[in-house]
Amino acid sequence: MKLILACFFSLSCVFAYIPSVESLFRNGANTEIEGSTVVVNLHISKMITGEEKAVQETNQETAKLKEFKDGYYKFLYLQDFSNDSVKMVQVGYETENMRVNEITSLRSFNNFVKFPFSKGVESTEQGLFYSLLQSLALNRGDMMISYLRSRGVSVKLNKDLLNKEKAALLEKYMLYLKKVKDDPSLNESLESPLDPKNEEQRVSVKEVLKQPFFHESSIVKRVKERSSFFWKVETENFNAKFENETRKLQTLELQTTWGSLAIQCKDFLVFDGSHEFPKYIYFKDFQGNYYQIRMLSMKQFDENKSSFETRYTNYRKSLSENKKEDGLVFTPNFIL
């Protein structure tokens, strides 16, 4: 499948291409993730309105107990490319220093390719946040598509949209290129699947190449706003906007029976020498609360499963040693 996609994208400059929703959520401006482990450190803070600030100043102690103000989080992903699995560990800290004696919370998921869906308000908020984070950190759009479908949005995975006739043709072409590369003498005798000698076959091939690689296109449109172009995804209960060339996510809004969720990504920066991530993400929950999610750092490296498990065991031990007497840890609704 990767060979087919590589071939397809090499031809996309010649033949018109409308990206699928999953492709847009693959964070296309980034280079491929090569390290098995990806670590993302975030600072999450609630944006306080003037009215809320006045209430907190009036009854400061009660506000501290009842409401999340800010927190520091580390998200660790271990990817197993052989079976397409992702293990995720989430660590909460008291300060930006993120020392082991400051760990306040710990969560672990053995396979986080799909969000652990359940019905309800918090699950809907959480699903959107974690699907977005996986899109930005791992260049994966499949979790977002699965999440949106679970919330009634009419979108499909790439595998369900694949133009099988075009994929088969491109697969033949990739095999042809491999044979010619392995044995250059075959260049004279082998016929390219994209340029058959038979005129009728040649016409048929051209028609297939003109077809979209993915069948879905009606909900993805290229639009112009002022002097700039964007890709826009729009359904009855969902819309998202991406930059035209970089495919960077700009805004997203989901309508549900509980109200709307909204996201805005600002100031994409390179954090690990090659990987772009928005410096700020603004998240609006069902209650109308706004949160600023600020990127602190991001890195990727190779690590085996045993080392990853040892790291998690050490986190768990530190959390046990750090437990406060009251044991109260407040988080935003969208954090598991």
Side-chain angles (χ1 to χ4, degrees), residues 38-239:
V38 177
V39 182
V40 177
N41 293 335
L42 301 176
H43 173 227
I44 302 176
S45 58
K46 185 179 179 186
M47 301 174 70
I48 308 298
T49 65
E51 182 179 347
E52 289 173 325
K53 186 175 182 181
V55 171
Q56 287 188 6
E57 290 174 351
T58 302
N59 196 347
Q60 193 170 8
E61 292 305 314
T62 302
K64 283 182 179 178
L65 287 174
K66 291 184 176 180
E67 189 174 280
F68 169 85
K69 292 179 65 178
D70 74 335
Y72 297 87
Y73 295 90
K74 183 187 296 289
F75 299 89
L76 303 99
Y77 296 93
L78 177 66
Q79 301 186 92
D80 187 338
F81 298 106
S82 64
N83 61 11
D84 195 36
S85 67
V86 177
K87 183 178 178 64
M88 195 273 276
V89 169
Q90 171 185 303
V91 194
Y93 296 87
E94 287 182 322
T95 76
E96 186 173 349
N97 295 321
M98 294 187 170
R99 299 189 179 100
V100 292
N101 62 349
E102 296 176 337
I103 294 176
T104 58
S105 63
L106 181 65
R107 299 295 303 271
S108 175
F109 302 88
N110 286 326
N111 195 354
F112 211 64
V113 173
K114 291 185 178 180
F115 184 76
F117 300 116
S118 62
K119 300 300 181 182
V121 176
E122 285 193 1
S123 176
T124 301
E125 292 173 324
Q126 293 164 355
L128 181 59
F129 172 75
Y130 287 95
S131 297
L132 175 68
L133 193 57
Q134 191 166 111
S135 167
L136 295 171
L138 303 184
N139 294 346
R140 294 186 64 131
D142 51 343
M143 185 170 174
M144 179 64 80
I145 299 303
S146 297
Y147 162 75
L148 291 174
R149 291 177 66 178
S150 77
R151 266 45 186 177
V153 181
S154 180
V155 291
K156 295 181 180 180
L157 294 165
N158 281 351
K159 65 180 182 180
D160 299 324
L161 300 168
L162 190 65
N163 181 332
K164 294 181 180 179
E165 186 178 14
K166 187 167 187 175
L169 175 62
L170 295 180
E171 185 174 21
K172 289 179 181 178
Y173 181 61
M174 292 304 294
L175 292 174
Y176 160 78
L177 292 178
K178 185 179 184 304
K179 289 180 180 179
V180 171
K181 181 181 179 181
D182 293 341
D183 185 357
S185 66
L186 294 175
N187 191 39
E188 297 293 329
S189 58
L190 280 183
E191 181 178 87
S192 169
L194 299 189
D195 188 26
K197 295 178 181 179
N198 182 281
E199 180 63 27
E200 186 176 335
Q201 291 178 351
R202 189 182 298 115
V203 172
S204 177
V205 165
K206 287 183 179 180
E207 290 300 315
V208 172
L209 289 175
K210 288 178 183 178
Q211 297 171 10
F213 196 68
F214 299 109
H215 290 299
E216 181 182 50
S217 61
S218 60
I219 65 172
V220 180
K221 294 180 180 179
R222 189 167 178 263
V223 298
K224 185 177 183 181
E225 295 182 4
R226 296 182 180 179
S227 60
S228 300
F229 286 94
F230 299 90
W231 288 108
K232 191 168 185 180
V233 180
E234 192 164 20
T235 71
E236 186 177 321
N237 56 341
F238 174 76
N239 67 79

Side-chain angles (χ1 to χ4, degrees), residues 25 124 128 132 144 147-148 151 153 232-242 249-256 259-265 282-286 290:
F25 277 109
T124 301
L128 181 59
L132 175 68
M144 179 64 80
Y147 162 75
L148 291 174
R151 266 45 186 177
V153 181
K232 191 168 185 180
V233 180
E234 192 164 20
T235 71
E236 186 177 321
N237 56 341
F238 174 76
N239 67 79
K241 187 171 72 173
F242 302 79
L249 176 65
Q250 300 294 294
T251 59
L252 178 158
E253 185 174 10
L254 174 66
Q255 299 287 341
T256 77
S260 66
L261 299 174
I263 284 173
Q264 183 179 20
C265 297
Y282 296 96
F283 189 106
K284 182 185 81 70
D285 67 13
F286 284 132
Y290 284 84

